[in-house]
Amino acid sequence: MRAFLLAALLLGAAAAWAADVFDFIPAGGRTLMAKALEGRPGADEVRALLSGKRTREDWLAYLRGHSKAIPGLQRLKEKELLTLADYLSFNMPLPAGKIPASPAQANWEKLLPPDGRDFALQYCQGCHIITVVVTQDRSKDAWLGTLGKPSHVQIKLTRGEREALASYLVLNAAIPIDDVPEELRAGGATY
Ligand code: HEC
């Protein structure tokens, strides 16, 4: 019985760790878009968003201009809005088959393509801890340079995904080490 309780406790702790430890890494466009759409804007607004093709700057202007029609956008901070505009420039328009017929019922976090944060969590922890990545302050070219090194060139990300990841990291990495949870600060690199 005691062993069982202990196991349950440990499992609970592991689950809490898994759920929270990466919270310090800022949300990417997929999550921000889901947040923006929580206010259930009109179907036409949603369709316009999912089928537009714009540069990041044009998306930013578009989002600013549509914050009344898409009230969820008002909940995003400046940098989040820019991160979302950046994400949209890489991922919109969605292929016609992916645009949901009834947006009000859509599970956006599932339906939308992965963002830079998703790529980092999925592809950047196999050889070193994520801290090596998210604490760096770099230009986009510097990021693409690292990703093109022999140690990184075989990572299974397409050219477009590398660009999207680099762009997300320019905006959201450079996290001060004091904001990184203790357990992710040292000893995690195995190279
Ligand atoms: C296959 C193993 C592997 C994976 C996966 C990996 N890295 Fe690395 N990473 C390394 C090695 C080895 C080093 C140290 C030697 C070097 O820099 O080549 C390193 C060092 C780094 C550094 C610090 C040194 C530098 O060159 O700037 C950064 C930043 C970095 N990696 C980013 C990333 C990112 C971003 C990803 C995810 C896309 C990633 N890594 C995934 C192997 C890996």
Side-chain angles (χ1 to χ4, degrees), residues 119-120 122-128 132-134 136 138 142-143 145-147 149-152 154-155 157 162 165 169 191:
F119 291 141
Q122 186 173 351
Y123 294 101
C124 308
Q125 303 193 82
C127 310
H128 46 67
V132 173
V133 178
V134 296
Q136 311 280 338
R138 298 192 171 181
W143 278 115
T146 295
L147 295 178
K149 284 167 88 176
S151 46
H152 295 87
Q154 81 278 55
I155 294 172
L157 287 167
R162 283 162 189 260
L165 170 60
L169 289 171
Y191 57 79

Side-chain angles (χ1 to χ4, degrees), residues 98-181:
K98 284 220 146 193
I99 298 184
S102 43
Q105 264 106 55
N107 181 346
W108 295 109
E109 293 223 47
K110 270 205 158 154
L111 187 147
L112 293 166
D115 58 36
R117 184 182 191 274
D118 296 322
F119 291 141
L121 290 176
Q122 186 173 351
Y123 294 101
C124 308
Q125 303 193 82
C127 310
H128 46 67
I129 44 174
I130 197 83
T131 315
V132 173
V133 178
V134 296
T135 52
Q136 311 280 338
D137 186 358
R138 298 192 171 181
S139 68
K140 189 167 174 190
D141 282 348
W143 278 115
L144 291 173
T146 295
L147 295 178
K149 284 167 88 176
S151 46
H152 295 87
V153 78
Q154 81 278 55
I155 294 172
K156 288 196 167 25
L157 287 167
T158 64
R159 178 76 204 170
E161 290 168 343
R162 283 162 189 260
E163 297 255 349
L165 170 60
S167 210
Y168 165 84
L169 289 171
V170 171
L171 294 173
N172 291 290
I175 298 174
I177 190 72
D178 287 347
D179 294 351
V180 177

Side-chain angles (χ1 to χ4, degrees), residues 33 42-54 59 62 66 70 88 92-94 99 103:
M33 176 98 155
D44 288 349
E45 277 297 328
V46 178
R47 214 163 295 123
L49 205 56
L50 300 178
S51 51
K53 180 172 169 60
R54 296 182 175 81
W59 271 120
Y62 181 93
H66 286 247
I70 309 173
L88 294 172
M92 299 300 130
L94 281 191
I99 298 184

